[in-house]
Amino acid sequence: MLHALICTDKPDHLHVRKANRDAHLARVKADERIVQAGPLLDATGEMCGSLIVFDTDSRAHVEAFVAADPYATAGLFAEVRIVTWNRVLSR
């Protein structure tokens, strides 16, 4: 089962994202259940959120990941959504 973690940054918080990016990426790379990850971009190409796809049956794993993520603990996110996803196509 796949879960998409979709996070939207607070306005004017790019500095918070940049200050915590290395710690966040280390956490992402250490989680073997993450199969896709990357920043969302605004119209100017600046990072403004996160999309992380987990291959796990455990929604609780995704919830625990985001609760301890450096971005979340630094107060970066305005909104956090966890969506169960049914992959129909993969190329």
Side-chain angles (χ1 to χ4, degrees), residues 34-63:
I34 294 175
V35 295
Q36 301 270 359
L40 301 174
L41 305 177
D42 66 16
T44 68
E46 290 288 349
M47 296 177 288
C48 64
S50 298
L51 171 61
I52 304 174
V53 179
F54 293 79
D55 188 355
T56 179
D57 290 336
S58 173
R59 181 184 174 95
H61 176 83
V62 181
E63 292 169 348

Side-chain angles (χ1 to χ4, degrees), residues 36 87-91:
Q36 301 270 359
R87 177 177 37 211
V88 174
L89 177 66
S90 180
R91 296 185 190 226

